[in-house]
């Protein structure tokens, strides 16, 4: 039995969580949150890092910060997690989906411009599998059309695009520390990255329930009060402590995942050369973080048959996403602009293989061999 995921754990987390538990401050923005913020601000070179309880909430904050109004349009791929869309839908936005590129499963940057209207406010590129979107083109389009770019970098921690960290390129970015991601803050967690100084002050206010409490704590004002809309967008110290234990081991976690990914890639290359599967492509200039290893089979029928065999063999392989534009809520709240040439057909043939920190060679080999024989018997 090989599970699809095991939450990353390095052994470093325990001591920090205990320290947070026994400290006199367990609510947000304590010692460990500050350590995490510093770590991200240094490693990403961003103006501001703010831990949030989830990536979903970091995206919600971004939607408030760019002042999304009812009727505004936000361009994104349909092949993504629901939160990419929901965060903007909650502010009344209409979601405009465009097709993906079949090589990376990322938004096709050449189709964005034709989807822009006078109501367009933002582009939300999703770095699928931790592989960068074509950010130079996207930032250029945004600049020429006065749009904001919010990177959904939920899967992108420690990946780079032309030498720049994902999450450091758009006006803002959101990361996830859910237990299925490369780093976790104890099951659920997220991060808002701000690269544009204009958003910093208001971000701190929105995150603190619409109050200027952050300024108060820094001694910059003598009382705090309600100054804007807001919500509770800061996680407790236990989350931050758990995460900090992993950040200290970031290089180790990243290289361990890359090693598993490399072993899968090496093995499945021969099937790709035989035309049986398609493998992930990492474009020139991009370095990825081995967030996931996926293969693409011939079609949805082969995929169903292969997944059935893997389930019976105890291999936790899964598929995702149902394209948002074909989901019940997506039909109501969004519109697909242009032709769906790849989104549906490519999403229907993709499966994700187990990939987690600490996978042994025996476990990797079992997955490789079981998947290969399942494909051979189903794709005959
Ligand atoms: C995981 C994920 C999210 C949501 O992250 P949470 O931390 O669970 O809110 C959003 N977008 C993408 C692309 C994701 O993979």
């Amino acid at each position: 039995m090989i599970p699809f995921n095991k939450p990353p754990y390095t052994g470093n987390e325990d001591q920090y969580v205990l320290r947070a538990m026994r400290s006199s401050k367990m609510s947000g923005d304590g010692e460990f949150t500050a350590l995490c913020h510093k770590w991200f601000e240094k490693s990403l070179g961003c103006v501001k890092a703010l831990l949030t309880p989830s990536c979903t909430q970091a995206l919600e904050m971004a939607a408030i910060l760019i002042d999304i109004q009812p009727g505004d349009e936000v361009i994104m791929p349909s092949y993504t997690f629901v939160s990419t869309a929901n965060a903007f839908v909650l502010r009344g936005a209409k979601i405009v989906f465009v097709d993906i590129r079949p090589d990376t499963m990322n938004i096709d940057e050449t189709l964005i411009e034709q989807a822009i209207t006078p109501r367009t406010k933002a582009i939300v590129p999703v770095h699928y599998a931790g592989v960068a979107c074509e950010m130079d083109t996207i930032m250029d389009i945004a600049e020429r059309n006065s749009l904001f770019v919010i990177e959904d970098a939920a899967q992108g921690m420690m990946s780079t695009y032309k030498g720049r960290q994902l999450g450091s390129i758009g006006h803002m970015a959101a990361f996830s520390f859910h237990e299925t991601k490369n780093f976790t803050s104890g099951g659920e967690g997220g991060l808002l990255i701000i690269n544009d100084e204009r958003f910093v002050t208001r971000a701190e206010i929105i995150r603190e329930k619409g109050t200027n409490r952050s300024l108060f704590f820094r001694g910059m004002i003598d009382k705090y009060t309600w100054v804007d809309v807001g919500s509770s967008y800061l996680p407790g110290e236990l989350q931050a402590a758990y995460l900090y234990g992993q950040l200290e081991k970031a290089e180790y976690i990243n290289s361990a995942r890359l090693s598993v990914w490399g072993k899968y890639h090496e093995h499945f290359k021969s099937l790709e050369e035989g035309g049986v599967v398609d493998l992930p492509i990492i474009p020139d200039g991009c370095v990825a973080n081995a967030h996931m290893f996926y293969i693409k089979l011939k079609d949805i029928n082969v995929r169903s048959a292969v997944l059935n065999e893997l389930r019976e063999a105890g291999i936790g392989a899964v598929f995702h996403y149902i394209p948002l534009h074909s989901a019940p809520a997506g039909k109501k709240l969004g519109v697909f602009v242009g032709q769906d040439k790849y989104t549906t057909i490519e999403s229907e043939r993709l499966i994700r293989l187990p990939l987690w920190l600490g996978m042994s060679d025996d476990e990797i080999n079992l997955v490789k061999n079981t998947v290969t024989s399942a494909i051979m018997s189903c794709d005959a």
Side-chain angles (χ1 to χ4, degrees):
M1 182 67 203
I2 304 208
F4 170 67
N5 182 60
K6 283 191 186 175
Y9 174 73
T10 67
N12 245 22
E13 298 84 351
D14 307 42
Q15 52 169 327
Y16 292 140
V17 171
L18 258 183
R19 198 161 100 199
M21 281 169 63
R22 290 172 182 171
S23 75
S24 53
K25 181 168 168 64
M26 289 170 74
S27 61
D29 278 340
E31 175 196 3
F32 285 105
T33 304
L35 285 169
C36 290
H37 286 173
K38 227 160 86 189
W39 194 94
F40 290 119
E41 281 161 13
K42 183 155 173 266
S43 77
L44 293 163
C46 61
V47 175
K48 191 86 194 163
L50 292 169
L51 289 188
T52 55
S54 66
C55 177
T56 300
Q57 284 162 299
L59 289 164
E60 287 176 22
M61 282 184 68
I64 297 172
L65 283 164
I66 61 171
D67 201 24
I68 293 286
Q69 297 294 319
D72 286 348
E73 295 174 9
V74 178
I75 296 172
M76 65 181 65
S78 170
Y79 185 67
T80 183
F81 189 60
V82 289
S83 295
T84 319
N86 261 335
F88 298 91
V89 165
L90 279 171
R91 315 307 310 166
K94 174 174 144 198
I95 306 301
V96 175
F97 299 113
V98 302
D99 209 8
I100 53 168
R101 303 164 35 150
D103 58 348
T104 56
M105 306 296 283
N106 283 337
I107 191 167
D108 185 337
E109 67 280 358
T110 66
L111 301 176
I112 292 173
E113 213 139 15
Q114 68 188 40
I116 294 173
T117 75
R119 305 247 30 190
T120 308
K121 193 103 183 232
I123 306 168
V124 187
V126 179
H127 305 299
Y128 183 69
V131 177
C133 297
E134 186 39 56
M135 290 308 291
D136 279 350
T137 307
I138 292 171
M139 293 309 290
D140 176 61
I141 293 167
E143 198 168 320
R144 283 189 284 104
N145 293 278
S146 302
L147 306 178
F148 292 113
V149 174
I150 313 294
E151 294 175 72
D152 183 338
Q155 307 176 6
M157 188 54 70
M158 295 192 82
S159 295
T160 59
Y161 169 83
K162 300 187 181 175
R164 300 162 73 188
Q165 296 284 324
L166 298 193
S168 71
I169 304 167
H171 297 86
M172 282 181 268
F175 287 95
S176 173
F177 304 121
H178 185 262
E179 67 179 9
T180 52
K181 303 304 200 289
N182 292 20
F183 301 86
T184 186
S185 47
E188 304 278 353
L191 173 70
L192 177 70
I193 292 297
I194 299 173
N195 297 312
D196 182 327
E197 273 179 32
R198 287 176 295 173
F199 297 115
V200 172
T201 307
R202 192 158 178 248
E204 288 187 315
I205 289 167
I206 287 165
R207 182 164 167 269
E208 270 284 19
K209 301 98 186 164
T211 72
N212 51 8
R213 189 157 154 188
S214 302
L215 290 176
F216 174 72
F217 278 137
R218 285 203 294 272
M220 292 165 78
I221 48 176
D222 58 12
K223 59 181 186 308
Y224 78 85
T225 184
W226 183 21
V227 292
D228 201 341
V229 296
S231 188
S232 184
Y233 287 126
L234 72 170
E237 275 288 284
L238 267 58
Q239 267 73 45
Y242 198 100
L243 179 62
Y244 191 65
Q246 306 210 331
L247 296 182
E248 283 193 327
K249 300 265 184 167
E251 291 296 337
Y252 158 74
I253 292 175
N254 198 49
S255 60
R257 294 189 71 101
L258 283 166
S259 159
V260 180
W261 196 97
K263 285 168 186 168
Y264 277 146
H265 193 261
E266 183 63 31
H267 173 83
F268 288 104
K269 235 170 32 194
S270 57
L271 286 185
E272 184 180 46
E273 282 154 12
V276 184
V277 300
D278 286 313
L279 297 185
I281 305 285
I282 299 173
D284 285 346
C286 299
V287 178
N289 60 359
H291 170 62
M292 82 172 77
F293 191 86
Y294 65 80
I295 56 179
K296 289 194 275 185
L297 302 166
K298 192 162 70 195
D299 55 32
I300 192 167
N301 296 323
V302 175
R303 180 177 76 175
S304 302
V306 168
L307 282 176
N308 267 336
E309 286 212 13
L310 294 178
R311 196 174 309 118
E312 276 164 30
I315 305 284
V318 300
F319 72 84
H320 74 171
Y321 306 105
I322 309 282
L324 297 183
H325 75 284
S326 58
K331 284 181 191 163
K332 264 195 313 213
L333 302 165
V335 57
F336 196 103
V337 170
Q339 194 195 342
D340 173 8
K341 203 165 158 195
Y342 296 114
T343 299
T344 299
I345 201 161
E346 292 296 301
S347 71
E348 284 179 346
R349 64 195 195 95
L350 181 143
I351 65 173
R352 303 172 60 183
L353 304 186
L355 199 176
W356 27 270
L357 183 68
M359 257 186 116
S360 69
D361 279 344
D362 283 350
E363 289 167 323
I364 297 167
N365 288 334
L366 183 60
V367 175
K368 289 195 299 205
N369 297 333
T370 315
V371 171
T372 304
S373 61
I375 293 171
M376 289 315 179
S377 71
C378 297
D379 196 22

